[in-house]
Amino acid sequence: MEILVCVKRVPMVGGKIVLTGDSQDVDTRMSGFTISPHEECAVEEAVQIAERLGGTVSVLTLGPPEAADQLREALALGAGRAVLLETDGREWGPVATASAITDEVRRRAEAGDGYDLVFCGNEAADTGDYQVGIRVAHALGWPCATGIKSLEVAEAGNGAGGLAARAGREYRGVQESFEFGLPAVVTVKEGINLPRYPSLPGRLRAKRAVIERHEPVWQDEGLRKQALRVPATERKHATVLGTGADAVPALLRVLDEWGVLP
């Protein structure tokens, strides 16, 4: 079984978001980079399926040369092949990204090792597009299941051979289940599994691995970014009422204003 997992290089933003001077991007000079939790779970799900049914897990990302670091993270978790669709730093939208991924899927099929299953994270951690997996499936004419929190892959029960999948998700408090044949595209959400920690042998293997590189042609999608804006947040401040016993009258006054005192 051949599985492809698509990941995206995104900044690790754990504190205040700062924009570049031209308001066109997030200033990541003080940030590291990673892949989103959804995509970590997608890698883990693919590795588990390959361990159970046999096959190869490939991981793919579209981005600058530095994105090879995120591919090596996935290789350390158990993926066996990495593909970098190397860009020149320009921003790729969901339409162009999906087209580049579709080209890789078709290229692999022409080589005789076509993918049976393509995983994506449910949405990008930085832009939240929710589009790439659906667009890839539409371009390929494959079934697509989104927002998936459980997945079973097994031999089709109709006697015709091949593989089939049963995918589950929760929507507005209702459990939904989908059954479809492979090949297919599945977008998964965090919580479908618990990703493993990379082992030392896995890290060493990932460090030595050769990454396959292709240079897709950038496509203008017709959209233009005007500027980014950080949403205004509520500013909070603390007032020191005093110290020791001298602060008691002020504390009682505040508690009385809040209606806490009987």
Side-chain angles (χ1 to χ4, degrees), residues 120-246:
C120 297
N122 194 56
E123 74 268 12
D126 53 352
T127 57
D129 290 322
Y130 294 86
Q131 296 186 41
V132 171
I134 298 171
R135 289 183 178 276
V136 170
H138 178 74
L140 294 171
W142 290 4
C144 182
T146 61
I148 297 306
K149 294 289 289 287
S150 66
L151 182 67
E152 299 177 11
V153 178
E155 292 185 4
N158 55 11
L163 296 170
R166 178 183 291 119
R169 70 181 182 190
E170 182 179 336
Y171 179 69
R172 295 184 176 179
V174 177
Q175 295 294 328
E176 298 182 335
S177 180
F178 306 91
E179 295 185 5
F180 47 90
L182 301 187
V185 177
V186 175
T187 74
V188 303
K189 297 188 70 173
E190 182 181 9
I192 189 174
N193 54 47
L194 182 62
R196 69 193 71 188
Y197 288 100
S199 63
L200 179 57
R203 288 187 181 277
L204 293 175
R205 182 176 62 253
K207 187 175 182 180
R208 297 190 300 265
V210 176
I211 294 177
E212 184 179 328
R213 297 172 185 261
H214 301 281
E215 295 184 3
V217 178
W218 181 79
Q219 301 180 35
D220 186 354
E221 299 186 3
L223 299 177
R224 297 290 183 273
K225 181 196 298 182
Q226 296 297 322
L228 298 178
R229 178 178 60 85
V230 179
T233 57
E234 181 182 355
R235 303 191 62 159
K236 299 180 180 180
H237 65 276
T239 301
V240 178
L241 299 177
T243 58
D246 295 337

